[in-house]
């Protein structure tokens, strides 16, 4: 149970952080491929909304610190006449529903289209770098916690558990006789042990009474004094 909490949970957090890093890198590579492809199509923004992520619990109407991200839903038609629609986060905030946009995508991959213009490349790279730095610190923290637990806390906890188990299951030591104490009973009786009744018992004196003393004879109870 202890290992599940201190190893499995940080391991899952580290795996989630690595997955987030992979997603950010893949998304950035797809954006760069779309910008360099040169295939463009005219599109239209059919929806826009803001997603706000709040961190912590603040006081008052403002709440805790938060981060807002714009999401756009774009629609475009490929040169082959296929209508495509996709949702994208991080686009320009000036784009609203109904605006015309230029859609770019790699050759043969309209499913990887983007409406973020190449002029936003510097801002996108900066945001990607910040996310990667945060996720890297997050993963290193989780892995470091696991390493400290395996090297320091787990051996110490195992020693404590072993000592407690030894004390609980320890058998009491057998009682030992003091040094010089005989361990076996000598056979027979001692040499000076008497073998019969004693013959030197002192006799009572000659005037020792042989019968109980005679008590005075009572004929009745004594007379009680008159009651006034």
């Amino acid at each position: 149970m202890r290992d599940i909490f201190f190893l499995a949970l940080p391991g899952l957090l580290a795996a989630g952080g690595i997955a987030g890093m992979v997603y950010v890198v893949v998304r950035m590579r797809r954006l760069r491929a779309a910008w360099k492809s040169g295939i463009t199509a005219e599109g239209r923004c059919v929806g826009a909304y803001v997603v706000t992520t709040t961190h912590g619990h603040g006081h008052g109407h403002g709440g805790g610190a938060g981060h807002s991200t714009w999401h756009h839903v774009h629609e475009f038609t490929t040169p082959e006449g296929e209508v495509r629609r996709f949702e994208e986060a991080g686009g320009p905030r000036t784009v609203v529903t109904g605006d015309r946009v230029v859609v770019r995508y790699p050759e043969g991959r309209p499913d990887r289209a983007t409406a973020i213009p190449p002029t936003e490349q510097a801002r996108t790279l900066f945001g990607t770098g910040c996310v990667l730095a945060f996720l890297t610190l997050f993963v290193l923290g989780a892995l470091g916690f696991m390493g400290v637990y395996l090297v320091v806390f787990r051996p110490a906890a195992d020693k404590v558990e072993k000592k407690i188990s030894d004390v609980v299951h320890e058998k009491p030591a057998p009682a030992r006789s003091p040094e010089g104490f005989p361990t076996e009973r000598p056979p027979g009786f001692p040499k000076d042990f008497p073998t019969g009744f004693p013959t030197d018992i002192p006799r009572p004196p000659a005037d020792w009474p042989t019968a109980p003393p005679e008590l005075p004879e009572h004929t009745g109870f004594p007379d009680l004094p008159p009651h006034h």
Side-chain angles (χ1 to χ4, degrees):
M1 182 62 68
R2 185 181 69 242
D3 289 347
I4 293 177
F5 179 78
F6 288 101
L7 293 179
L9 183 58
L12 292 176
L13 295 176
I18 294 174
M21 295 170 64
V22 172
Y23 171 78
V24 171
V25 172
V26 170
R27 182 175 183 271
M28 191 63 208
R29 288 174 60 88
R30 290 182 177 180
L31 286 175
R32 292 174 64 88
W35 291 333
K36 293 181 179 181
S37 175
I39 299 178
T40 61
E42 183 179 353
R44 184 171 60 91
C45 177
V46 296
Y49 59 94
V50 179
V51 175
T52 302
T53 304
T54 303
H55 306 282
H57 300 279
H59 299 281
H61 299 286
H67 175 72
S68 298
T69 304
W70 276 87
H71 287 248
H72 296 91
V73 180
H74 300 296
E75 185 178 85
F76 69 100
T77 303
T78 64
E80 293 77 18
E82 182 182 2
V83 178
R84 290 271 184 169
R85 178 175 292 189
F86 65 95
E87 181 177 348
E88 187 174 44
R93 299 185 179 183
T94 56
V95 176
V96 296
T97 303
D99 287 352
R100 297 289 179 177
V101 295
V102 177
V103 178
R104 295 174 174 83
Y105 59 91
E107 184 176 1
R109 298 303 304 266
D111 56 312
R112 297 183 179 179
T114 178
I116 299 177
T119 55
E120 298 287 331
Q121 183 174 357
R123 185 176 66 85
T124 305
L125 286 174
F126 177 76
T128 301
C130 293
V131 174
L132 286 177
F134 172 77
L135 292 177
T136 300
L137 293 177
F138 181 80
V139 172
L140 291 178
L143 295 179
F145 179 83
M146 295 172 62
V148 171
Y149 169 74
L150 290 175
V151 175
V152 179
F153 292 103
R154 185 176 183 181
D158 291 342
K159 289 182 180 180
V160 172
E161 289 183 356
K162 187 177 183 302
K163 288 184 179 180
I164 295 176
S165 178
D166 293 342
V167 171
V168 172
H169 298 90
E170 183 179 3
K171 296 182 179 180
R176 295 183 178 181
S177 302
E179 296 184 0
F181 192 83
T183 58
E184 296 182 359
R185 190 183 66 178
F189 296 98
K191 295 181 179 180
D192 56 349
F193 193 81
T195 58
F197 292 100
T199 57
D200 55 349
I201 299 177
R203 296 183 177 182
D207 57 349
W208 187 267
T210 58
E214 295 183 0
L215 299 175
E217 184 178 356
H218 294 277
T219 58
F221 293 98
D223 296 333
L224 297 176
H227 179 70
H228 298 283

